[in-house]
Amino acid sequence: MRSAGSTYLRAAGTRLLAGIPVFVLVTFAATALSDLMPGSAAQTILGENATLEQIAALNAEYGYDRPAVIRYLDWLGGLARGDLGYTLFSRQPVAELLVNRAAVTFEIALLAMLVSLLLAIPLAMVSAARAGGLVDSTLSAVTSFLLSIPTFVSVVVLSYVFSIVLRWLPATGWVSPFVDPLGNLMFVALPVLSLSVHQSAYFFRVARSQFAATLQEDFVLVARAKGLSTSYIMLRHALRPSLPQVLTVLGLSMTFLLGGSFIVESYFAVPGIGWTVLNAVKNHDLPVVQAILSLTVVIFVVVFILVDLGYALIDPRVQAT
Amino acid sequence: MTTLTIKARSGNGTSRSAMLAAAVCLALLAPTAALAQTPTSGGTMTIINGSDIRSWDPAITSGTFPGGPMDVLDAVYGFIVYVNDKGVVTGGMAESLTSEDAITWTLKLREGVKFSDGVAYDAEAVKYNWERVADPATAAPSQAFVAGWASGMEVVDPLTLKITLPAANANFAAQIAELAPFIASPEALKVAKEKSEIKPVGAGAFLLDAWDQDVSVSMKRNPDYWDQPRPYLDTLKFAIIPETNARIATVVQGGATMMAGYPYQFGSNADADGVATKQIPIRGINRAYFNHTKGVFSDVRAREAFYSAIDRGRLMQAFTQMEGFTPPVSYFGTSSQYYDPAYSLPSYDPAKAQELISALAADGKPFEVKIVTYTNSDLKRLAAYVQQVISSYEGASATIEEVDQANLIVRCKQQLEFDLCVEGGVLVSNGAEPNISNLLRSTGNFNWGQYNNPEMDAALSAAASTVDPTAVKAAFSDVQKLVVEDLPLYIFGEQTRYLLLRDNTGGVVNSNGGILQKQFLYVCDAPCVE
């Protein structure tokens, strides 16, 4: 009989292998599709006054006149050597850029997730404990409203209120937490709030329904019969059985947060990977696009592996295979 | 006319009588205070723009949008000569660029100016830079212009460069300011194997400190700048914020010093505390290109019908969501020294439009207009308005194709797949040239619709071939006559750019259509007026 550790390792390995075709497909598509995009790197550099001949010559200098397959194989070779190349214009090492920009996105995503969970879980427990009551109805209505607000609207509203009217928070920009920890929190506040608006409402609704279902279980009725308090039952008996569903949502929410970061980072000019990849696509900076897509695929594969394995850890009825 | 509006800062509990007393004192002191305002050294400013610089190659020049790539290059290299807001060429890094006959030009350089690597900013350095621009291998957008006279350069002495042109060109100095203004250290250019390896080694007011691609460019004061005690600022930053509303919010909140734009974009934010707006008194035109090679607009009657069919004031209102636009009557503004009131663009006349549309249909030329523009909410409104108005005429229709902004030049200039191509920007024409030739000459860079009239080329050449102001004005009068007869462009609006800026920003001097002369910028202790 295998040990639990080796089972988890095997399960993780299987899923990692399944992620390789996804990785190849996505990164190759990025190379191939870049040929279909309007304009070119040379056009971006030389501006609208450049002649077609000048544009073609500079594209050739950058190697953009070669077939997509050759360019892709070149990039894969570089990746195998740990060389992700340099940004097209500023000649920054892409690997260094990737680490710096991903750290920004992860900080915002994790803080947004933390804020959302800290808001949503307690409120969901309160709401589920009084299902059908005034608090439950009010919270459900509020979260329905928040869920209906798209991120591109919430960024504008929050920016207007906190930056223009109240002037409490910076409208755009970024500073490293290692340089200015307090300043960093000020700069990330609006991006985190923007992402949390939707996420906390989403977490609330999922957790509330899960808590409500758990509270109908026999073991909760037994606990109630024993005369245990509602708060004790929620924390000791209902919380853990309700978590697998929340965990699934956490995995999915990571994809939302990464997707949402494109809008939030662009609006608040936060130099994370969403901001970077949008600019890189616009500028035909293919080394940067490839690196960020690769990182995104890896993140998604790893997150879903962790979610799968997390089920098995939390709920003994689920086995890692 | 330069306009600067400043709002009073909000009070915080001051009594009404005290405020009244203060207001009286301020009113009495105001003229003195304005005059007493002297530049102070130190401080930091941040200029916001929507996109980043792509190369430090001094040969890559385009655009005059304040805070844009040319502004960034100017901070490091400095314009060799500027075109000031009156359209007059003035000294920059060079003392002067002058000519008696418009054929032989003399560039006088300043003594003792050095690049930041210690190399002399002399006639040899200028000659090297311009020869490099003329070399097709550099892929400079201005290659054709500079190649036309590069062989006529002669170094007279270290501070004098003589340039003999193949033909008289009275606009040469203005063209240099627009098309080949930046000079970099020849040593820095020689060691770079490709464009992206070029390091910004100039003799301008600032030195590059850090560049985080698509995020910010940070510069520090050049202590060896020739025009001491300028620059006043210790640090100058260019921040990249693509979203217009986010740029505005950043200035209002105090996260940056200034951004450029138009009043309809600023809205009520221009009235916020601590914020001012400053007009850049340089006129620009909103224009669209007619396709002269095929389709309905290859017939001049269709172009006239288009002018007559649409109220251009209403069109600008749809575009900007602001009222009060008067349609331009000429390529030149009515206050321009070249404006000739004898020639006016067709005004709004629906009956005339219908008559022309019907005549075209009778000749087998249905008035079907394909409008090509790029994805942008302002342009969507503009295109939709045109479509709505044109479709209201009998026998006329319009379709809209929206493309990605980067693809507009491909779709219009390169593929000519349009009847009317609307480019959203305002083309600043600080003086007549070089933009008027770029738009109207058969070989012009901005002549996307391929308008071609040898008479127009001849008139533009005549304007360029003399330094006699009367002769220049006469030649530009001919140009206006042809503009009205041929209607090569759809000129639908005229605007000037504005800056939205913190009200303690001093030393705002614009040139070349909007470029900020950053060496003059300084931070005031209180709201300052110039």
Side-chain angles (χ1 to χ4, degrees):
Chain A
M1 189 178 161
R2 289 192 190 95
S3 68
S6 67
T7 306
Y8 284 126
L9 274 178
R10 200 164 68 89
T14 310
R15 285 161 177 78
L16 272 177
L17 285 174
I20 290 174
V22 178
F23 177 84
V24 172
L25 271 175
V26 170
T27 50
F28 178 69
T31 306
L33 292 175
S34 70
D35 288 346
L36 302 178
M37 284 164 51
S40 66
Q43 177 90 66
T44 308
I45 292 170
L46 298 179
E48 68 174 27
N49 296 336
T51 64
L52 290 174
E53 293 74 23
Q54 288 172 335
I55 291 165
L58 193 59
N59 274 330
E61 194 180 310
Y62 281 115
Y64 284 165
D65 58 337
R66 297 175 304 158
V69 175
I70 303 293
R71 279 182 283 141
Y72 182 67
L73 290 175
D74 252 14
W75 177 78
L76 267 187
L79 183 67
R81 294 190 302 274
D83 175 14
L84 293 176
Y86 293 87
T87 61
L88 199 55
F89 309 119
S90 60
R91 307 300 290 172
Q92 292 165 275
V94 170
E96 183 189 307
L97 183 88
L98 193 65
V99 169
N100 292 338
R101 304 285 169 94
V104 175
T105 299
F106 286 146
E107 184 195 352
I108 290 172
L110 290 175
L111 281 174
M113 194 175 279
L114 189 67
V115 168
S116 305
L117 284 173
L118 287 175
L119 280 171
I121 300 294
L123 288 174
M125 290 168 90
V126 169
S127 199
R130 294 164 180 77
L134 180 65
V135 172
D136 185 33
S137 305
T138 307
L139 284 172
S140 294
V142 169
T143 51
S144 293
F145 173 70
L146 293 178
L147 275 173
S148 68
I149 303 175
T151 307
F152 64 83
V153 173
S154 61
V155 292
V156 176
V157 173
L158 288 169
S159 170
Y160 179 74
V161 172
F162 289 103
S163 297
I164 291 183
V165 178
L166 300 172
R167 302 196 185 191
W168 290 350
L169 296 169
T172 57
W174 169 261
V175 62
S176 165
F178 302 109
V179 174
D180 180 1
L182 189 62
N184 171 263
L185 287 177
M186 297 287 280
F187 276 110
V188 299
L190 281 178
V192 166
L193 266 178
S194 302
L195 288 172
S196 303
V197 166
H198 189 278
Q199 279 308 96
S200 51
Y202 184 46
F203 285 159
F204 168 84
R205 291 180 78 90
V206 172
R208 186 229 166 257
S209 73
Q210 194 58 33
F211 281 125
T214 305
L215 290 176
Q216 302 301 317
E217 297 282 348
D218 291 344
F219 62 89
V220 174
L221 295 177
V222 171
R224 285 192 197 280
K226 284 180 178 175
L228 298 175
S229 69
T230 304
S231 56
Y232 185 84
I233 292 169
M234 292 301 294
L235 290 171
R236 287 299 302 267
H237 297 282
L239 183 59
R240 191 170 173 185
S242 304
L243 280 183
Q245 187 68 20
V246 176
L247 193 65
T248 309
V249 170
L250 278 182
L252 292 173
S253 81
M254 181 55 88
T255 63
F256 171 84
L257 289 172
L258 287 176
S261 73
F262 282 51
I263 296 170
V264 168
E265 290 176 5
S266 291
Y267 193 85
F268 295 115
V270 176
I273 56 174
W275 160 279
T276 306
V277 79
L278 281 178
N279 281 308
V281 168
K282 198 168 65 183
N283 299 328
H284 296 260
D285 197 342
L286 210 53
V288 175
V289 175
Q290 291 285 40
I292 292 179
L293 280 179
S294 307
L295 178 72
T296 309
V297 172
V298 168
I299 289 169
F300 275 55
V301 170
V302 168
V303 163
F304 284 111
I305 289 172
L306 290 176
V307 169
D308 279 359
L309 300 182
Y311 280 150
L313 276 173
I314 291 171
D315 189 343
R317 293 170 298 180
V318 178
Q319 287 188 336
T321 54
Chain B
M1 189 183 83
T2 303
T3 312
L4 181 69
T5 55
I6 305 268
K7 272 74 54 189
R9 287 166 186 274
S10 59
N12 52 358
T14 314
S15 73
R16 181 172 291 188
S17 57
M19 284 175 67
L20 184 63
V24 171
C25 290
L26 280 174
L28 292 170
L29 290 172
T32 316
L35 290 172
Q37 196 67 240
T38 52
T40 48
S41 293
T44 297
M45 281 192 187
T46 302
I47 302 170
I48 317 177
N49 191 40
S51 58
D52 200 1
I53 191 169
R54 298 291 165 230
S55 168
W56 292 104
D57 188 341
I60 306 294
T61 53
S62 67
T64 56
F65 201 72
M70 286 282 273
D71 235 332
V72 180
L73 289 177
D74 171 53
V76 172
Y77 296 120
F79 275 68
I80 193 161
V81 287
Y82 289 99
V83 180
N84 69 16
D85 59 6
K86 307 285 185 298
V88 177
V89 177
T90 57
M93 298 302 296
E95 256 178 30
S96 62
L97 177 57
T98 54
S99 175
E100 297 290 324
D101 57 3
I103 294 178
T104 305
W105 289 80
T106 304
L107 178 75
K108 293 295 290 182
L109 296 167
R110 298 179 192 277
E111 200 169 344
V113 178
K114 287 190 187 319
F115 296 104
S116 56
D117 62 356
V119 174
Y121 191 117
D122 58 13
E124 286 291 353
V126 176
K127 183 167 181 277
Y128 175 84
N129 272 262
W130 282 343
E131 282 172 344
R132 182 178 170 273
V133 175
D135 181 353
T138 305
S142 308
Q143 189 270 336
F145 163 66
V146 180
W149 47 264
S151 60
M153 287 190 287
E154 181 196 338
V155 174
V156 178
D157 62 54
L159 298 181
T160 311
L161 184 69
K162 192 171 89 177
I163 304 142
T164 307
L165 304 181
N169 181 1
N171 305 306
F172 179 71
Q175 286 174 316
I176 286 290
E178 298 267 351
L179 302 172
F182 299 130
I183 305 299
S185 164
E187 300 308 315
L189 292 172
K190 284 172 190 167
V191 297
K193 292 192 186 74
E194 58 182 56
K195 279 201 185 312
S196 50
E197 289 181 359
I198 292 173
K199 301 278 185 262
V201 181
F206 293 89
L207 306 171
L208 178 67
D209 195 24
W211 181 24
D212 196 0
Q213 186 177 305
D214 292 321
V215 177
S216 64
V217 178
S218 185
M219 296 182 180
K220 59 187 178 189
R221 183 178 186 278
N222 179 1
D224 300 320
Y225 186 57
W226 67 270
D227 190 17
Q228 294 297 322
R230 301 179 186 93
Y232 299 115
L233 297 174
D234 287 337
T235 308
L236 178 66
K237 288 181 181 171
F238 293 89
I240 315 304
I241 304 175
E243 180 60 43
T244 307
N245 287 333
R247 286 203 292 273
I248 292 168
T250 305
V251 174
V252 171
Q253 187 269 338
T257 311
M258 69 177 92
M259 63 166 285
Y262 300 96
Y264 74 90
Q265 295 172 322
F266 303 153
S268 61
N269 291 304
D271 301 322
D273 276 354
V275 172
T277 55
K278 185 180 192 308
Q279 186 188 30
I280 300 170
I282 300 168
R283 175 186 180 262
I285 55 169
N286 296 88
R287 80 286 184 203
Y289 302 100
F290 291 125
N291 189 342
H292 292 258
T293 64
K294 61 184 178 185
V296 66
F297 290 131
S298 56
D299 189 318
V300 69
R301 289 176 298 168
R303 301 198 289 273
E304 187 181 353
F306 194 80
Y307 264 100
S308 304
I310 299 171
D311 180 339
R312 288 175 289 150
R314 297 285 297 275
L315 179 63
M316 282 299 288
Q317 189 179 338
F319 179 44
T320 64
Q321 296 185 301
M322 285 183 74
E323 295 180 354
F325 286 97
T326 304
V329 293
S330 170
Y331 176 87
F332 295 108
T334 51
S335 59
S336 164
Q337 56 181 319
Y338 302 125
Y339 172 64
D340 187 340
Y343 306 109
S344 288
L345 292 166
S347 53
Y348 177 52
D349 185 348
K352 173 84 173 171
Q354 186 61 68
E355 189 184 311
L356 288 165
I357 289 167
S358 301
L360 284 161
D363 291 349
K365 294 180 179 176
F367 200 81
E368 292 167 352
V369 180
K370 179 182 173 184
I371 306 163
V372 177
T373 188
Y374 63 81
T375 315
N376 165 293
S377 54
D378 297 337
L379 289 171
K380 272 184 188 172
R381 284 196 307 275
L382 181 145
Y385 183 81
V386 171
Q387 185 182 40
Q388 196 178 11
V389 173
I390 291 299
S391 303
S392 70
Y393 288 90
E394 196 179 325
S397 64
T399 55
I400 300 170
E401 181 185 338
E402 285 179 22
V403 298
D404 185 88
Q405 186 171 2
N407 205 24
L408 189 76
I409 193 166
V410 178
R411 200 80 179 127
C412 294
K413 185 180 178 183
Q414 293 166 13
Q415 297 175 344
L416 282 163
E417 289 297 330
F418 69 98
D419 292 313
L420 184 80
C421 182
V422 190
E423 208 272 0
V426 176
L427 187 75
V428 170
S429 186
N430 191 14
E433 293 288 1
N435 280 349
I436 195 165
S437 281
N438 271 330
L439 281 169
L440 301 176
R441 194 181 279 279
S442 55
T443 54
N445 253 338
F446 306 153
N447 183 8
W448 289 11
Q450 296 197 3
Y451 164 67
N452 186 348
N453 184 344
E455 283 183 55
M456 177 65 87
D457 288 354
L460 290 167
S461 296
S465 62
T466 174
V467 288
D468 173 10
T470 312
V472 172
K473 188 170 180 181
F476 279 130
S477 182
D478 291 342
V479 168
Q480 286 167 91
K481 176 172 175 283
L482 289 167
V483 165
V484 168
E485 284 175 4
D486 292 352
L487 302 173
L489 288 170
Y490 186 55
I491 301 169
F492 59 90
E494 56 185 346
Q495 292 190 78
T496 53
R497 291 166 176 159
Y498 279 75
L499 293 170
L500 181 73
L501 70 177
R502 302 301 302 170
D503 61 11
N504 62 342
T505 308
V508 178
V509 179
N510 292 100
S511 62
N512 288 65
I515 299 294
L516 293 153
Q517 294 205 35
K518 293 151 291 286
Q519 66 272 29
F520 294 114
L521 292 173
Y522 62 92
V523 181
C524 305
D525 295 331
C528 47
V529 181
E530 296 176 336

